[in-house]
Amino acid sequence: MSVTDVPVPVIPDADAVMTESERRKKEKELLEARKAGTIPAEVDEDGKEINPHIPQYMSQAPWYLNASAGSGLKHQKSQSKDDQYDKMGAWYARG
């Protein structure tokens, strides 16, 4: 392999790159504006508005459930478990 075959990394423009602190600051400003009501609230996949006063640990689904689902309270609602379990008075073979 000669020197001319080595790929040269492309360095992005310094203005286009946001640092982590700038990104967090912008997210915090956006969240504060949503809480103040100057910017419309986020919308979940069902089209319902997400209350900006709900803490992030409640509105974000845990990593082990479905992280790609995004924000919302859908993961907080009870799932239909009627199909999985028998009713209390259902008969089953004993012995």
Side-chain angles (χ1 to χ4, degrees):
M1 180 182 261
S2 68
V3 176
T4 57
D5 295 339
V6 177
V8 177
V10 178
I11 300 173
D13 191 18
D15 296 332
V17 178
M18 274 172 94
T19 62
E20 186 69 21
S21 61
E22 290 173 343
R23 187 184 59 80
R24 284 186 192 157
K25 185 177 179 182
K26 191 168 187 166
E27 286 178 7
K28 187 175 180 182
E29 290 172 355
L30 181 66
L31 181 63
E32 288 174 0
R34 283 194 172 129
K35 285 183 180 181
T38 56
I39 296 177
E42 266 186 294
V43 179
D44 64 357
E45 66 249 4
D46 294 335
K48 298 178 182 177
E49 287 186 350
I50 300 171
N51 187 345
H53 300 286
I54 294 176
Q56 183 180 6
Y57 67 89
M58 288 178 65
S59 65
Q60 297 287 326
W63 61 269
Y64 52 84
L65 281 181
N66 190 2
S68 64
S71 298
L73 296 176
K74 193 172 189 175
H75 66 278
Q76 294 278 346
K77 296 180 182 175
S78 63
Q79 303 298 318
S80 175
K81 294 183 180 179
D82 296 335
D83 300 335
Q84 296 177 358
Y85 303 109
D86 291 332
K87 300 293 180 202
M88 192 67 159
W91 183 87
Y92 63 95
R94 294 178 172 91

